[in-house]
Amino acid sequence: MIRQISYGFALAVTCVLAANALVVSASETHAAKAKLEKKKMNIKEVTSPGGITAWLVEEHSVPLVAIRFAFEGGSAQDPKGKEGVAHFVSAMLDEGAGDLDASAFQEQMEDIAMRMSFSQGRDSYYGNFQTLTENLDASAGLLKLAITKPRFDETAVERIRKQLIASLAFAAKNPNQVAGKAWSETAFPNHPYGRASKGTPESVAAITPADLHAYRNRVFAKPTLKVAVVGDIDEARLGRLLDDVFGDLADKPDLAEVADIKPAAGTIKVIEMPVPQSVAVFGFEGIARDDPDFVTAYVMNHILGGGGFASKLMEEVREKRGLAYSVYSYLQPYDNAAIFAGSVATKNEKLAESLDVIREQIKRMAEQGPTQAELDNAKSYLTGSYALRFDTSSKIASQLLGIQQEDLGLDYVNTRTEQIAAVSLADITRVAERVLKPENLIVAVVGKPEGLHPKK
């Protein structure tokens, strides 16, 4: 998947991953690339007797099966005033289902050594499943119960509610999380993307078991289901498993309409917090994933701020001036909006200067583009390191799910390199001018920054 971040993860996790971009040796990169090229991935599209479709990569050398799946929905489907419902559901699906209460359900999971977890993005709801081949039937049975017959018992709901509210209290003291939340609220006022995806103490306190059931009933539906399976399983068995696990889900989702929105522009929001270091999240409107220029923008951003220590922002802010330990940027295309965003953290007295340097680098890239050497290095890294995303069954399943969600096609794994290689210097210069608008920067700062004042 070409997206700058791993799909399905929350924005805060995305930021951390981008800030700590993977650094690999030339030998590791070349070895992984050679391995992927030597063994072209055989991705099969499997349709069950009941009409449920999945992508399958068979790998019988290891007795494991990994499944990743997603429904359209995510936290954007949280009712107003009940923000955090999707996140609450994620924490509850292994807390009892069918005839099994929370204790019995988790004991059975432990007995057969299966892994199952759930999470929500802004636009999608994700499931993660892994088990030994010998335990596949029993594990699939528990997965089916979790997504079709969750109990949401009052005792378990209250226990998880306390945990979620405690987590929110901790997050309220974390400058990174507060800044990310403030940025979204500022960029997307009165819109689902601007609401707290994990809720607030008040909204989580108001969520009832009926709300959890209602969310599951509205979102978990076969028409929006995407599934990727990797491991020790063949097409026939997968077809039966798909119908068994997902066949009883609703034939139609009941999703609330989410309006298209563009981020507000040119705003600076400062939230004072007595900490020695300020955190800033910055960004503006980005580019949609289905835009013909997205791949070029992706390569451009790698050069500007997505390439770790090789990026211009890191070079200018950290290496040359010593203003901050890390700084980065990324592209995030949602279903109904798209953003270019990033973050920097530094001493209170250095925050304003750091933001000035960031603006200047964005402006320079927009006006001049990169050098040919910078482009060549970016393309070499982005094509060479791609194979490292396919070194485990779980990683392969995650990549395939993302490719499905973004409608990139079965052959994307093999054509991605060609798409990146085709990006020219003229392309990047044109797209940088189109996308990068430093005057539109929305900035949310948490700390006590010196010389920086709010701007509406």
Side-chain angles (χ1 to χ4, degrees), residues 366-384:
E367 293 176 350
Q368 302 176 14
T371 66
Q372 187 64 53
E374 289 169 339
L375 174 57
D376 292 343
N377 288 337
K379 292 199 291 187
S380 178
Y381 178 86
L382 291 171
T383 57

Side-chain angles (χ1 to χ4, degrees), residues 33 70 74 81 113-114 130 207 216 248 253 287 293 331 403 431:
K33 184 178 180 182
M114 69 171 287
Q130 187 170 330
I207 293 170
R216 190 203 70 82
D248 291 340
I287 185 169
D293 284 334
L331 297 174
I403 293 169
V431 172

Side-chain angles (χ1 to χ4, degrees), residues 295-306:
V295 173
T296 300
Y298 171 78
V299 177
M300 177 273 295
N301 179 67
H302 181 86
I303 298 168
L304 177 60

